[in-house]
Amino acid sequence: MTAAVTAPSGRRRLAAALHRRGRLRLGLLLAGPVGWLVVAYIGSLLILFLNSAWSRDAFTGLVIRELTLGNFTDIATNPLYRTVVIRTVVMAAAVTVTCALLAFPIAYYMARVASRRTKGLLVVAILMPLWASYLVKAYAWRLILSEEGVLNWLLGPLGLKGPGFGEIGLWLVFTYLWLPYMILPLYAGLERIPTSLLEASADLGAKGSLTFRRVILPLVTPALVAGSIFTFSLTLGDYIAPSLITTTQFIGNLILSNFGVPDLPLAAALSLVPLVIMIVYLLVARRLGAFEAL
Amino acid sequence: MHDRIGRILLRLGAGAVLVFMYFPLAIVIAYAFNDSGTSVWPPSSLSLRWVDAAVENSGLREAFLTSLVAALGATVIAMVLGTLAALAVAHHRFFGREAISFVVIFPIALPGIVTGMALSTTFATTSFPLGLFAIVVGHATFCIVLVYNNVIARLRRVSASLEEASADLGADTWQTFRYVTFPNVRTAVLAGALLAFALSFDEVIVTIFVAGGVKTLPIWIFQSFRLANQVALVNVAGLVAILLSAVPVYVATRLTSDTGASGRS
């Protein structure tokens, strides 16, 4: 720490100025990240909004930069779009419910049964597949579900058959892909419940199932909602898994097929659909206390 | 008695979920060494034939290097910006402080396709060229939050009195940062950077929108699914992708586990 004495004076003077003027230091710290996020992200969201209110000239294919609500009336009135939106939302809801059901036993085991050591190992064991290449995981299911794949090979001797490619298969794949995003918040939520509450419930004569319904479930609801933000949002925004596993269209495929050459403004307008759905979802989730459980 | 059965069922349920989570990864790894190169299960015999073929394949090699460069670029930007933002939010009270922690998570909380569309329409509208640089910009945007979250979590645990003590003892702003603040957050910055690298290396949903003609490893994989003569290589590429995200994540979790957080120099 003797370096303090020998520091060059110019640097030292700047340091003193920074120390005295907290605002200046704060400004320098924030300029980069805020500049980046506002320009690169908020800015591009605004340009997305702008594009969604533009239109495309049917003959020249060029974007006409005049504001119109044409894209939105198109989306609202075209039955194809409505079907696709409903299908995607139903899928997202189904995946979310399945993830919650599957996540509960393992999250409960991690939070309340496992030893400290096992707990640490399990957290890593859940984290690794969460981060393992998304595309490879989706592709793995293409291999598994294929006609001559593992699933039919396993089920064959039992006289059964896998779901194959299609919406049921996709539901399975989405559930697999987003399951860790549900397990981790749920585990954290279950771990926060004081043991004394469960003991009190048992002392007052509640059976396991009653304690679960009246004590555990209400306390863990924010964590469940927090996990559901991920499972819901990720399903809404995915177009890769649907294109690998099914031939059915979901919102993402619809956006991608209009992206670029066919109709960029329409694609922009369509992508506001998952955005609006997610904003409503986030507002409801905040009401339910999910943000404290993230 | 009842309790014991419940516990056994719970253990079985937890085990079943773990098997469910690792089974598909094991399948890809097994297929990478499948001699026949088809998707018929079980593999007739194992060999390193497709691993060799993958190493020889120039398209695959190029895609791998592109992904590496893109991930490194995005990681460096995210590391700097995420750390700066975390220092600002942790050490200062100011108007809009809450808004920053919200804006930082935005790019990752919204559906990937929204982020992809927003960036690509912006690039199209402003005539910004698509390609490697656009990929780096896009990835950095949603990687900032990973570094930010790790660093801010660490800063919350480090007492502010350490920095005050450093200033009282005559250290200037730089010295305090260099000898006190940075050593404390170093492992958190590194852990965040590793996660950012893993995320960027794998990302495909946003990447497709901004890549132009550039092929990252995930894009190469995505485009090779349907090409009969490349399907066998996809399995090997998948194995590489799994390793290159699993290893950084494993190291990152070790770095942020409580034992590794002392931050000594």
Side-chain angles (χ1 to χ4, degrees):
Chain A
M1 286 292 162
T2 49
V5 186
T6 54
S9 66
R11 235 185 57 175
R12 183 99 182 145
R13 223 174 303 138
L14 182 58
L18 284 177
H19 183 73
R20 256 176 289 128
R21 292 194 208 119
R23 291 282 119 182
L24 177 65
R25 185 165 59 169
L26 176 64
L28 289 176
L29 283 175
L30 280 177
V34 170
W36 186 285
L37 285 167
V38 170
V39 172
Y41 200 70
I42 305 294
S44 35
L45 279 179
L46 292 177
I47 291 182
L48 180 70
F49 292 149
L50 202 59
N51 264 277
S52 69
W54 287 345
S55 60
R56 176 180 159 279
D57 190 303
F59 293 104
T60 61
L62 294 174
V63 172
I64 307 168
R65 299 191 171 183
E66 276 167 33
L67 298 185
T68 153
L69 289 176
N71 291 325
F72 299 107
T73 45
D74 257 14
I75 294 172
T77 52
N78 190 328
L80 166 73
Y81 296 149
R82 209 178 315 144
T83 316
V84 172
V85 169
I86 291 172
R87 182 188 296 145
T88 311
V89 171
V90 169
M91 176 63 84
V95 168
T96 300
V97 171
T98 325
C99 280
L101 290 177
L102 286 179
F104 229 105
I106 189 163
Y108 193 87
Y109 178 77
M110 284 162 73
R112 310 216 67 97
V113 182
S115 67
R116 230 182 104 77
R117 213 184 113 74
T118 320
K119 199 180 282 194
L121 285 175
L122 280 172
V123 170
V124 177
I126 306 292
L127 270 173
M128 300 249 284
L130 185 150
W131 288 93
S133 174
Y134 152 80
L135 186 63
V136 175
K137 285 185 289 186
Y139 167 70
W141 280 95
R142 207 178 141 87
L143 295 173
I144 292 170
L145 292 173
S146 73
E147 194 57 42
E148 292 167 310
V150 191
L151 196 58
N152 284 342
W153 179 76
L154 281 175
L155 293 177
L158 306 173
L160 296 169
K161 220 167 166 299
F165 298 127
E167 285 171 49
I168 302 286
L170 184 60
W171 165 66
L172 189 65
V173 174
F174 274 141
T175 302
Y176 171 78
L177 288 170
W178 317 137
L179 183 59
Y181 293 87
M182 182 62 94
I183 295 178
L184 290 172
L186 199 56
Y187 154 69
L190 284 166
E191 184 149 67
R192 275 195 295 266
I193 299 178
T195 314
S196 57
L197 286 185
L198 305 185
E199 286 166 357
S201 172
D203 288 347
L204 292 169
K207 286 213 185 77
S209 58
L210 189 64
T211 305
F212 179 78
R213 260 185 304 126
R214 302 293 293 275
V215 182
I216 297 179
L217 209 52
L219 284 172
V220 88
T221 300
L224 264 177
V225 178
S228 79
I229 293 174
F230 294 107
T231 56
F232 202 84
S233 169
L234 289 164
T235 310
L236 278 189
D238 198 340
Y239 56 86
I240 304 268
S243 71
L244 283 176
I245 307 294
T246 67
T247 49
T248 327
Q249 286 216 312
F250 288 82
I251 297 182
N253 312 102
L254 212 53
I255 296 170
L256 190 70
S257 63
N258 278 301
F259 165 71
V261 187
D263 197 336
L264 186 61
L266 181 64
L270 278 170
S271 62
L272 295 189
V273 175
L275 180 67
V276 170
I277 295 176
M278 265 334 282
I279 288 175
V280 173
Y281 201 99
L282 286 173
L283 289 175
V284 174
R286 197 171 63 173
R287 266 271 156 103
L288 295 171
F291 281 29
E292 283 78 47
L294 273 176
Chain B
M1 187 60 202
H2 183 266
D3 208 39
R4 238 179 97 169
I5 295 173
R7 201 153 281 203
I8 290 169
L9 283 178
L10 199 61
R11 209 159 280 197
L12 284 176
V17 168
L18 271 186
V19 170
F20 178 56
M21 284 173 67
Y22 277 90
F23 176 69
L25 300 178
I27 295 296
V28 173
I29 294 171
Y31 270 119
F33 301 106
N34 175 12
D35 187 57
S36 74
T38 62
S39 65
V40 178
W41 188 268
S44 47
S45 63
L46 301 178
S47 83
L48 291 175
R49 192 173 136 210
W50 298 107
V51 178
D52 289 337
V55 175
E56 306 267 298
N57 187 301
S58 62
L60 178 54
R61 237 178 15 224
E62 240 164 69
F64 173 77
L65 287 175
T66 308
S67 271
L68 213 55
V69 172
L72 285 175
T75 302
V76 169
I77 297 174
M79 213 161 105
V80 173
L81 296 183
T83 308
L84 288 175
L87 286 172
V89 170
H91 285 170
H92 298 266
R93 300 269 166 277
F94 55 91
F95 176 75
R97 188 164 166 267
E98 295 298 308
I100 289 189
S101 34
F102 203 65
V103 168
V104 167
I105 62 160
F106 235 59
I108 212 162
L110 292 180
I113 196 154
V114 175
T115 301
M117 272 301 294
L119 289 171
S120 69
T121 45
T122 303
F123 292 155
T125 310
T126 57
S127 308
F128 187 95
L130 299 180
L132 186 57
F133 188 64
I135 297 176
V136 172
V137 170
H139 285 195
T141 307
F142 56 72
C143 284
I144 293 175
V145 64
L146 301 171
V147 180
Y148 171 85
N149 273 350
N150 266 289
V151 177
I152 199 140
R154 178 68 56 81
L155 283 170
R156 284 202 184 111
R157 280 188 297 172
V158 176
S159 163
S161 59
L162 281 179
E163 289 173 2
E164 284 160 18
S166 162
D168 287 348
L169 290 168
D172 66 28
T173 308
W174 313 123
Q175 289 165 331
T176 301
F177 179 77
R178 192 169 151 202
Y179 296 111
V180 180
T181 315
F182 186 68
N184 272 324
V185 297
R186 189 169 41 203
T187 51
V189 173
L190 191 59
L194 285 167
L195 294 181
F197 180 89
L199 181 64
S200 167
F201 193 81
D202 284 340
E203 217 289 332
V204 63
I205 293 194
V206 176
T207 314
I208 286 184
F209 279 96
V210 296
V214 173
K215 283 186 193 174
T216 61
L217 187 65
I219 292 184
W220 185 91
I221 293 177
F222 188 57
Q223 291 176 345
S224 301
F225 284 143
R226 290 174 187 81
L227 307 175
N229 57 341
Q230 290 195 344
V231 163
L233 300 182
V234 169
N235 297 318
V236 182
L239 174 64
V240 173
I242 290 174
L243 287 178
L244 261 169
S245 48
V247 172
V249 171
Y250 179 75
V251 177
T253 49
R254 296 308 303 239
L255 283 174
T256 45
S257 69
D258 289 315
T259 46
S262 62
R264 286 175 302 111
S265 47

